[in-house]
Amino acid sequence: MQTLLDVILPVFLVIGFGYVAVWRGLFPVSGIDGVMKFTQNFAIPCLLFQAIARIDLSSSYDPRLLGSFYGGAALCFALGILGARLLFRRDWEDSVAIGFCCLFSNSILLGLPITERAYGPEALAGNYAILSFHAPFCYGLGITVMEFVRNRGQSGLSLLRNVSRAMFRNALVLAILGGFAVNLSGLPIPGVVDDALSLIVRAALPAALFALGGVLLQYKPEGDMKAILMVCAIALLVHPALVWSFGTMLSLPQAGFRSGVLTAAMAPGFNAYIFANMYGRARRVAASSVLIATGSSILTVWLWLTVLG
């Protein structure tokens, strides 16, 4: 119970503030859209750029951590696609959008603050290692499969062009690549620039959590309940269980093990809805899954924190 009070509830209270503020008309929906654009396109990219530019690549990038997390994520993507197709008779495009909901954990807005509150800022190295591949891996996989099923028979060059165009318009991907470029080149970030980045970064997570609450109000859970519950089960239970199993088999060190399991245990992020909306597929399932899984994760994350110790 103390874990629930100390670690999880503060994060969800900030989300709740945003939800209630918009619900009661104290904060306009247009304002939430502006805050979300600020966090998604500026503040969070600054956070990722600064973190990856500073991170010790030799010690943080454990192949066992990345293999455990992304092996589990890819399997969940496949499970979501096959479940939507075989159990609920959705067409292939809908099935890929539903599978993406099972693939894309809310690793930034929920994973970072919960891990930091549970284990301290020094425990975030594994989270940042996962995050540096998260958007490129998930969008790369999702867009590639969606473009393949949408354009069966197109040339490989055309498929590559469509995937590349979508990837390199993503601010998170560009920030991650910039962070790697600075880190690998050894070029220092000028002090005044680093201080400015730090000011923006401090606003990133609280602003994003508040905006997430306002956005969730717009997601009305209706219809497709069986598909939504399947997404919630895969995202909240199956993915962390797979990371736990793979991490145990690979003897993943405790710090990376905790980061991997906790990040995998997060609800689908709003990028799941962005992906569904981008292709106009399974938007209701994606929206409702984000809402219901985010609420349910209060208990499931508590469970995983308790098991992790």
Side-chain angles (χ1 to χ4, degrees):
M1 180 61 70
Q2 197 62 38
T3 300
L4 178 67
L5 294 175
D6 292 344
V7 177
I8 302 172
L9 283 187
V11 172
F12 283 93
L13 280 175
V14 179
I15 296 173
F17 289 154
Y19 189 98
V20 172
V22 175
W23 173 43
R24 303 305 299 170
L26 302 174
F27 201 91
V29 172
S30 60
I32 286 291
D33 291 341
V35 175
M36 187 60 77
K37 287 179 181 178
F38 164 72
T39 57
Q40 181 76 5
N41 296 329
F42 299 98
I44 291 175
C46 285
L47 182 152
L48 292 177
F49 170 81
Q50 190 180 59
I52 294 169
R54 292 174 172 177
I55 199 170
D56 183 351
L57 296 178
S58 61
S59 63
S60 298
Y61 283 84
D62 189 331
R64 294 170 294 178
L65 170 60
L66 299 177
S68 297
F69 184 86
Y70 287 110
L75 284 174
C76 289
F77 181 54
L79 285 174
I81 293 174
L82 293 175
R85 180 67 177 172
L86 300 178
L87 298 178
F88 307 119
R89 306 299 180 187
R90 305 297 287 252
D91 63 31
W92 281 113
E93 288 86 349
D94 274 11
S95 298
V96 174
I98 292 170
F100 193 86
C101 295
C102 303
L103 169 68
F104 205 107
S105 306
N106 198 338
S107 54
I108 296 177
L109 303 191
L110 297 181
L112 282 180
I114 288 175
T115 304
E116 182 176 12
R117 291 191 63 82
Y119 304 115
E122 65 281 357
L124 293 179
N127 291 63
Y128 285 125
I130 292 170
L131 283 172
S132 66
F133 288 97
H134 201 225
F137 177 86
C138 294
Y139 273 106
L141 180 59
I143 290 169
T144 299
V145 175
M146 180 65 86
E147 293 294 336
F148 178 80
V149 300
R150 288 178 74 215
N151 302 286
R152 301 172 186 86
Q154 72 173 339
S155 68
L157 182 61
S158 178
L159 176 62
L160 180 62
R161 188 185 307 116
N162 290 339
V163 172
S164 300
R165 185 184 302 117
M167 287 283 288
F168 288 100
R169 288 178 177 174
N170 189 297
L172 300 178
V173 174
L174 294 176
I176 288 166
L177 293 176
F180 273 122
V182 170
N183 193 309
L184 294 172
S185 68
L187 294 173
I189 302 175
V192 65
V193 174
D194 197 43
D195 289 344
L197 286 172
S198 296
L199 287 174
I200 297 175
V201 165
R202 281 198 289 271
L205 291 180
L209 290 171
F210 181 87
L212 178 61
V215 169
L216 289 179
L217 181 66
Q218 304 169 52
Y219 293 169
K220 305 298 183 184
E222 53 185 7
D224 300 311
M225 189 53 68
K226 291 181 179 179
I228 293 165
L229 292 177
M230 179 196 73
V231 170
C232 292
I234 292 174
L236 301 179
L237 300 174
V238 176
H239 190 188
L242 287 172
V243 176
W244 183 293
S245 300
F246 294 154
T248 301
M249 286 189 295
L250 295 172
S251 300
L252 184 62
Q254 184 185 54
F257 187 84
R258 286 172 168 174
S259 290
V261 172
L262 266 188
T263 304
M266 296 302 119
F270 59 84
N271 281 285
Y273 179 74
I274 291 173
F275 184 87
N277 191 58
M278 183 167 66
Y279 287 104
R281 289 288 183 167
R283 284 178 288 195
R284 186 166 60 187
V285 173
S288 298
S289 295
V290 171
L291 176 61
I292 293 173
T294 299
S296 301
S297 66
I298 295 177
L299 295 178
T300 57
V301 170
W302 182 26
L303 167 68
W304 288 111
L305 281 170
T306 302
V307 173
L308 284 168

